[in-house]
């Protein structure tokens, strides 16, 4: 979500006549796009802004920390010029202009509740990569007790399906092979143009997937992130069974394997419900892989609770786990719970979880050796490298030795030769789909600074 927000900021500033440069030194404007989901992300802003304050530049802080702190950020960092929340990115060019004309520092952090805007990134030929993001909804109506996002991104607002379809079509026409649908709880999607709420809080996400598959037949791959397990319904499972365009991988955050902890987190499912839905999806789509997010050391988590999480990870065989130590966040309900798991215990649980998940990842990647996969090429493995990197249909990272025609946007059939720690090494056999002329190689750079001169 944040990477896509940075792309949108870049697109807006390009539209206002700016260009992207490689370093903040000498830039006219520096935008720091921020995350506040864990404290560490927030600390990054403080150290980065401190480093940049010496530069003669308009300094903008955008995103979730901007929303959370607003005017307070201007007081704490008087050298900032502009603070804008996630719903106010569209105002960046005019606020920057005002700052350049000597205006006072400004904070704009209002949610666009009445007329929600859905900015796009660049959709013209020559500006999209092999894979592109498309937002389908924003905000979050869940109230997971650890999570700051409902307060920084506001309530759920959905984008009309026709607009989503139009953006997907434009991206595919511009050369994108893959689209990743984005939303905080992406699979709670409902089409606002169809009128009021659906019965039983039923999501229309499976219908949206079906429409994209039917109406944009040249799309090669479709993914989405992040779904909430309670909207992994039989209809969504059926979409996975029926639609060949859907990736054979789902990232399905579970957070904990203990019912006691899930309840305190207000996740609105039990371990058994999660397991049943996940297993049913795995059975419906042969070869599908699952990855997940887990928080260790949530308030009140006992060693026994944690062991239940380890047990669930092993039982479901997640091929990748993003694991985090619980981090108390402002405004969240869990602040009222005592953050009682000591830091060294959180650390040792994290290490124990890593040991299990790394072994699972390794076993999975080694199991791919000798198989034939389809790789969507994203660009050179490193700037200037002759080998290229891409993703398989299951989203594994695959590096390929040079092969004629294996450029960004090409789909290549490849044989997996070796498993590395987090990626596969493969030999390209043949190009299944030529690279569309205009696709740009993905720039692998950190999501944090968007810099313009
Ligand atoms: N502490 C630690 N991890 C968190 N996450 C969200 N909020 C917190 C928090 N307060 C994790 C969750 C979520 C991912 C994006 O970040 O696992 O799925």
């Amino acid at each position: 979500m944040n990477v896509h927000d940075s792309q949108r900021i870049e697109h807006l500033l390009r539209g206002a006549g700016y260009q992207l440069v490689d370093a903040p030194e000498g830039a006219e404007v520096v935008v720091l796009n921020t995350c506040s989901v864990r404290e560490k992300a927030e600390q990054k802003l403080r150290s980065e802004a401190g480093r940049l304050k010496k530069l003669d530049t308009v300094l903008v802080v955008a995103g979730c920390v901007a929303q959370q702190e607003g005017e307070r950020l201007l007081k704490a960092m008087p050298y900032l010029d502009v603070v804008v929340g996630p719903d106010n990115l569209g105002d960046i060019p005019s606020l920057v202009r005002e700052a350049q004309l000597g205006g006072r520092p400004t904070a704009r952090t209002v949610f666009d509740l009445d007329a929600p805007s859905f900015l796009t990134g660049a959709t013209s030929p020559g500006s999209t990569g092999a894979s592109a993001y498309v937002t389908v909804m924003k905000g979050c109506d869940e109230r997971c007790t650890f999570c700051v996002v409902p307060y920084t991104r506001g309530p759920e607002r959905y984008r009309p399906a026709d607009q989503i379809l139009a953006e997907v079509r434009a991206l595919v026409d511009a050369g994108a092979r893959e689209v990743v649908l984005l939303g905080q709880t992406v699979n709670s999607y409902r089409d606002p143009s169809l009128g009021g709420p659906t019965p039983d809080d039923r999501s229309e996400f499976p219908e949206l997937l079906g429409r994209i598959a039917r109406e944009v037949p040249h799309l090669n791959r479709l993914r989405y992130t992040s779904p909430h397990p309670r909207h992994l319904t039989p209809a969504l499972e059926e979409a996975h069974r029926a639609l060949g365009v859907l990736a054979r991988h789902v990232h399905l955050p579970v957070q904990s394997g203990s019912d006691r902890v899930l309840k305190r987190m207000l996740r609105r499912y039990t371990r058994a419900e999660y397991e049943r839905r996940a297993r049913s999806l795995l059975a419906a789509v042969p070869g599908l892989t699952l990855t997940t997010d887990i928080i260790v050391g949530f308030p009140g988590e006992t060693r026994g609770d944690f062991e239940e999480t380890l047990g669930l990870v092993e039982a479901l065989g997640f091929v990748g786990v993003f694991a985090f130590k619980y981090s108390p966040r402002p405004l969240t309900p869990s602040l009222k719970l005592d953050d009682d798991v000591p830091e060294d215990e959180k650390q040792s649980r994290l290490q124990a979880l890593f040991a299990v998940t790394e072994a699972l990842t390794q076993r999975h990647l080694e199991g791919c050796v000798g198989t034939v996969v389809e790789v969507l090429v994203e660009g050179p493995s490193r700037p200037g490298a002759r080998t290229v990197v891409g993703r398989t249909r299951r989203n594994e990272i695959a590096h390929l030795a040079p092969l004629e025609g294996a450029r960004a946007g090409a789909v290549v059939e490849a044989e997996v030769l070796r498993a590395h720690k987090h990626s596969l090494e493969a030999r390209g056999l043949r190009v299944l789909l030529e690279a569309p002329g205009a696709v740009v190689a993905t720039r692998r750079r950190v999501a944090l600074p968007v810099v313009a001169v």
Side-chain angles (χ1 to χ4, degrees):
M1 184 68 74
N2 278 357
V3 169
H4 188 42
D5 280 344
S6 293
Q7 292 171 342
R8 294 156 140 174
I9 296 170
E10 177 180 340
H11 185 54
L12 282 162
L13 285 169
R14 279 187 194 277
Y18 294 86
Q19 285 171 21
L20 195 67
V21 293
D22 290 331
E25 290 75 20
E28 258 181 66
V29 184
V30 176
V31 183
L32 293 171
N33 189 22
T34 60
C35 170
S36 79
V37 79
R38 286 172 294 277
E39 198 186 349
K40 206 164 158 196
E42 207 180 313
Q43 283 161 1
K44 271 196 201 165
L45 162 67
R46 302 194 191 271
S47 61
E48 197 69 21
R51 204 169 66 81
L52 293 168
K53 72 176 176 198
K54 298 181 278 298
L55 300 181
D56 179 23
T57 176
V58 173
L59 191 49
V60 181
V61 175
C64 285
V65 180
Q67 183 69 35
Q68 177 192 300
E69 298 298 315
E71 296 278 348
R72 277 200 302 272
L73 213 51
L74 292 179
K75 290 217 175 67
M77 302 182 191
Y79 49 87
L80 297 182
D81 298 287
V82 178
V83 169
V84 275
D87 278 4
N88 307 110
L89 303 183
D91 294 336
I92 290 178
S94 63
L95 293 173
V96 164
R97 192 81 202 114
E98 280 166 32
Q100 284 173 330
L101 295 173
R104 288 156 51 86
T106 319
R108 192 158 299 166
T109 54
V110 279
F111 292 131
D112 56 9
L113 301 179
D114 295 335
S117 70
F118 291 93
L119 302 173
T120 67
T123 52
S124 55
S127 62
T128 172
S131 176
Y133 294 114
V134 171
T135 298
V136 307
M137 54 89 68
K138 61 179 180 177
C140 186
D141 287 349
E142 298 294 320
R143 285 293 177 271
C144 303
T145 51
F146 52 80
C147 189
V148 73
V149 167
Y151 313 99
T152 58
R153 291 204 182 249
E156 290 182 16
R157 281 144 295 160
Y158 308 103
R159 187 174 182 196
D162 289 343
Q163 272 183 32
I164 298 169
L165 265 292
E167 189 179 354
V168 172
R169 223 175 273 123
L171 285 164
V172 172
D173 288 347
R177 294 285 188 207
E178 176 183 78
V179 160
V180 183
L181 303 179
L182 287 180
Q184 243 67 50
T185 55
V186 69
N187 58 340
S188 71
Y189 176 79
R190 294 196 305 255
D191 186 354
S193 47
L194 297 182
T198 50
D200 318 324
D201 177 34
R202 186 180 66 79
S203 138
E204 285 157 356
F205 189 63
E207 286 90 331
L208 178 69
L209 297 175
R211 262 194 80 181
I212 294 173
R214 270 195 317 279
E215 296 179 31
V216 198
H218 294 303
L219 177 65
N220 191 257
R221 290 182 188 182
L222 184 58
R223 290 198 282 135
Y224 57 83
T225 197
S226 274
H228 190 289
R230 78 186 184 88
H231 293 291
L232 174 49
T233 55
L236 181 51
E237 185 184 306
E238 183 51 36
H240 275 276
R241 204 194 318 257
L243 306 176
V245 70
L246 275 180
R248 284 189 301 139
H249 161 253
V250 176
H251 181 70
L252 192 65
V254 65
Q255 313 299 358
S256 169
S258 150
D259 280 341
R260 225 175 54 85
V261 176
L262 287 171
K263 196 160 193 177
R264 288 160 71 91
M265 288 177 164
L266 213 72
R267 286 292 287 176
R268 305 170 77 185
Y269 53 81
T270 62
R271 172 195 174 120
E273 277 162 353
Y274 180 95
E275 233 184 309
R276 186 171 50 72
R277 287 173 184 225
R279 284 195 194 283
S280 181
L281 180 66
L282 289 168
V285 189
L288 184 128
T289 58
L290 290 177
T291 54
T292 200
D293 287 347
I294 285 174
I295 296 176
V296 300
F298 186 77
E301 184 189 71
T302 62
R303 192 77 208 175
D305 291 321
F306 172 66
E307 272 157 22
E308 288 188 39
T309 299
L310 283 184
L312 180 71
V313 168
E314 288 195 304
L316 282 174
F318 293 109
V319 302
V321 175
F322 298 87
F324 313 102
K325 287 186 274 189
Y326 170 71
S327 163
R329 304 308 296 132
L331 308 166
T332 58
S334 64
L335 278 183
K336 297 205 181 77
L337 304 172
D338 191 14
D339 182 15
D340 57 354
V341 180
E343 177 58 28
D344 57 347
E345 180 61 22
K346 281 185 187 163
Q347 188 59 32
S348 90
R349 289 181 196 177
L350 196 65
Q351 291 307 331
L353 183 56
F354 278 150
V356 169
T357 63
E358 298 218 330
L360 285 172
T361 303
Q362 218 44 53
R363 195 175 77 194
H364 168 69
L365 293 177
E366 275 160 17
C368 297
V369 174
T371 63
V372 172
V373 292
E374 267 183 39
V375 179
L376 171 58
V377 177
E378 292 175 352
S381 291
R382 288 176 313 283
R386 291 185 61 232
T387 53
V388 293
V389 66
R391 304 248 174 190
T392 68
R393 284 209 165 264
R394 292 196 303 203
N395 213 33
E396 292 118 1
I397 298 170
H399 294 273
L400 300 182
L403 172 77
E404 188 66 35
R407 287 180 292 117
V411 178
V412 175
E413 190 174 72
E415 182 194 357
V416 180
L417 301 176
R418 247 175 298 281
H420 295 292
K421 204 160 179 228
H422 297 289
S423 65
L424 300 171
E425 188 180 323
R427 180 171 67 98
L429 301 173
R430 61 190 177 116
V431 175
L432 297 173
L433 268 179
E434 299 279 333
V439 165
V440 291
T442 311
R443 282 160 298 178
R444 294 193 168 270
R445 66 185 148 127
V446 284
L448 196 64
V450 171
V451 184
V453 291

